[in-house]
Amino acid sequence: MQKEIKQTAVIGASAAGISAAIYLKRAKVDFILISKDLGGEMLTSGIVENYPGFIKTNGFELSKKFEEHLKYYQIDIEIDKEVIEVQKIENLFHIKTQEEIYFSKSIIISTGSKPKKLNVPGEEKLRNKGVSYCTVCDGPLFKNKIVAVIGGGNSANEAGIILSEIAQKVYVITKNERMKGDKIIIDQLLTKKNVELIYLGLTQEILGENKVEGLVYLDLKENKLKTLKVDGIFIHIGMQPNTYFIPKEWNILNEYKEIKVNKLMETEIEGVFAAGDVTDVPFKQIGIAVGQGITAALNNIRYLNRIQ
Amino acid sequence: MIKIYTTTHCPFCKLAKEFLTSHGFTFEEINVEENEAGFEEMVQKSGQYGVPVIDINGEIVIGFDIKRLKEILKIE
């Protein structure tokens, strides 16, 4: 059966996509919200203390609040639908998932990002066998064990703090000269007695057969390979945007594969808007994603009015 | 019989439980953060040191894998 043509398709349902959907619904735009999941990477955010109106919450609770808001406006989501390809053919967008194809006159891409991999030997083989990208999920499995956090930003700092309460010993290994991120979190990490920070350390290999037994890193200060015995490794080295479905010929990605947008969340392709962590915005924050989602929706409405 | 191995704050465990409940399935939850024997059981069954792990009559699902859950539980 031929699907109807929507005015807009919002791809991705986390902070940016949900905010856009709320604004589109209130403006009575005929749109569809398609997403692999609800909440995206926000779900794995541990404690959230910087989103206005919520003094202390977490990614899961916040995403549940967003879901409630969608339900309040009776916004349906095509959930569990991962977009695998998007095409623009004669001013009509064809949005393909494994199961279906959707059509729209414009799109808002808000597919967020996913954790970057180290791409070192042993990482893939030992995933979920001591290698984890979700400290909130798997951290508690390493009670009184020795673990390492790889990374040098906010997520790594937070992971270090969470694990310091669980594990016997926590190494935090960063390739940088110092930890980056919110000072309040770094200060908290530095007070933890069982945390050892290793600066200028470049992880080279994860060791183990059926489970993690250690890691090898290059000490950039001494230019020497060093081995640590650890039971678990938590990788928090940043995120990579979910832009794999965007046609190369659109040429809207920067060197980090983020979508280049202007201040109105427009891309170089007419009718294509983007918002949130998938864009080249330098600060990846829930609050910023919300604002970008709203901007994308409002500008999308203006665009739809213009083309009609 | 469905067994789900979880930790207290794991968001994907919560989503998996919600998914099962919303489709009318009951399950036994084993919080491996508190239950050491349960943790050993999970590792033995799945080789996994990550949650959630779901055991549906001996079929093991790693993570909150909706497609696989739908397939095994025959959900349309």
Side-chain angles (χ1 to χ4, degrees):
Chain A
M1 192 182 74
Q2 173 80 32
K3 270 206 153 68
E4 59 175 318
I5 297 169
K6 297 284 182 184
Q7 288 182 296
T8 303
V10 179
I11 307 170
S14 188
I18 291 172
S19 305
I22 291 167
Y23 273 68
L24 292 174
K25 183 73 177 190
R26 286 168 58 88
K28 298 195 171 172
V29 173
D30 182 25
F31 73 100
I32 187 158
L33 175 58
I34 311 162
S35 188
K36 187 168 79 124
D37 54 25
L38 203 153
E41 276 306 309
M42 190 173 79
L43 282 170
T44 62
S45 299
I47 296 166
V48 176
E49 294 174 310
N50 55 8
Y51 189 73
F54 295 81
I55 293 167
K56 192 170 189 169
T57 182
N58 60 56
F60 185 81
E61 277 177 15
L62 201 52
S63 99
K64 285 285 149 196
K65 286 280 173 201
F66 286 176
E67 187 178 359
E68 268 176 44
H69 210 147
L70 283 182
K71 282 186 182 152
Y72 176 79
Y73 281 113
Q74 296 176 325
I75 298 167
D76 293 328
I77 317 179
E78 293 286 305
I79 201 92
D80 192 27
K81 303 277 165 68
E82 186 167 4
V83 171
I84 52 172
E85 194 184 345
V86 172
Q87 286 178 299
K88 187 181 183 186
I89 303 168
E90 291 173 357
N91 290 327
L92 193 66
F93 292 95
H94 296 227
I95 302 137
K96 286 185 198 164
T97 66
Q98 289 286 3
E99 302 83 7
E100 280 168 86
I101 179 159
Y102 304 88
F103 303 98
S104 66
K105 292 177 185 170
S106 64
I107 56 173
I108 297 175
I109 303 168
S110 49
T111 42
S113 56
K114 62 180 176 192
K116 249 189 219 166
K117 291 190 176 165
L118 276 170
N119 288 322
V120 297
E123 182 181 19
E124 203 49 50
K125 184 176 82 174
L126 295 164
R127 184 176 186 156
N128 286 334
K129 292 177 166 47
V131 172
S132 173
Y133 304 86
C134 181
T135 302
V136 185
C137 307
D138 304 328
L141 306 179
F142 295 85
K143 212 178 278 176
N144 300 324
K145 303 274 185 190
I146 301 170
V147 297
V149 175
I150 317 291
N154 267 340
S155 300
N157 296 331
E158 280 168 15
I161 294 166
I162 293 171
L163 289 164
S164 73
E165 307 292 330
I166 300 164
Q168 179 198 327
K169 166 97 186 173
V170 184
Y171 296 101
V172 179
I173 306 172
T174 172
K175 62 180 184 180
N176 303 320
E177 283 179 323
R178 63 185 74 86
M179 296 307 283
K180 294 177 181 170
D182 296 347
K183 200 164 177 319
I184 191 168
I185 303 174
I186 298 172
D187 287 348
Q188 214 181 322
L189 179 71
L190 294 175
T191 62
K192 302 291 179 188
K193 289 203 168 61
N194 59 344
V195 173
E196 183 178 332
L197 288 141
I198 298 175
Y199 300 107
L200 295 168
L202 209 50
T203 309
Q204 303 290 299
E205 188 179 355
I206 296 174
L207 307 170
E209 269 312 307
N210 299 316
K211 63 186 181 82
V212 167
E213 287 165 15
L215 66 82
V216 179
Y217 73 96
L218 176 65
D219 184 330
L220 294 168
K221 297 180 288 282
E222 299 174 20
N223 198 26
K224 210 161 125 186
L225 287 174
K226 293 185 176 176
T227 303
L228 287 177
K229 261 189 83 176
V230 295
D231 306 296
I233 298 172
F234 294 82
I235 300 170
H236 294 281
I237 53 166
M239 308 297 285
Q240 67 180 79
N242 293 319
T243 49
Y244 49 86
F245 58 89
I246 293 171
K248 271 203 184 81
E249 62 270 22
W250 284 8
N251 199 24
I252 58 171
L253 304 184
N254 68 10
E255 58 181 308
Y256 306 108
K257 303 216 181 301
E258 297 164 329
I259 301 174
K260 294 180 281 184
V261 287
N262 64 17
K263 64 183 177 187
L264 292 171
M265 301 304 122
E266 293 164 334
T267 68
E268 289 287 318
I269 302 290
E270 205 183 311
V272 178
F273 304 81
D277 288 6
V278 76
T279 70
D280 60 353
V281 65
F283 310 110
K284 314 293 189 194
Q285 295 289 311
I286 298 169
I288 290 174
V290 167
Q292 283 193 310
I294 294 167
T295 307
L298 292 175
N299 196 30
N300 177 251
I301 294 162
R302 197 152 79 171
Y303 171 77
L304 292 169
N305 289 334
R306 204 166 62 226
I307 62 168
Q308 266 157 19
Chain B
M1 178 173 165
I2 302 174
K3 264 189 185 181
I4 176 164
Y5 299 88
T6 65
T7 56
T8 311
H9 298 293
C10 157
F12 302 108
C13 304
K14 290 178 189 167
L15 290 176
K17 287 190 287 179
E18 271 181 20
F19 176 85
L20 292 171
T21 306
S22 69
H23 287 90
F25 293 96
T26 53
F27 52 83
E28 181 190 349
E29 180 178 1
I30 298 167
N31 185 331
V32 296
E33 194 176 329
E34 295 157 359
N35 182 338
E36 218 165 293
F39 177 54
E40 294 302 326
E41 188 181 280
M42 178 186 90
V43 174
Q44 201 188 3
K45 275 183 188 175
S46 65
Q48 298 289 301
Y49 287 77
V51 285
V53 168
I54 307 167
D55 177 353
I56 306 169
N57 297 320
E59 293 218 55
I60 303 296
V61 181
I62 309 293
F64 177 42
D65 184 341
I66 297 186
K67 279 195 180 71
R68 195 138 150 69
L69 286 173
K70 280 184 173 173
E71 199 180 285
I72 298 172
L73 296 167
K74 299 190 177 14
I75 297 168
E76 282 298 303

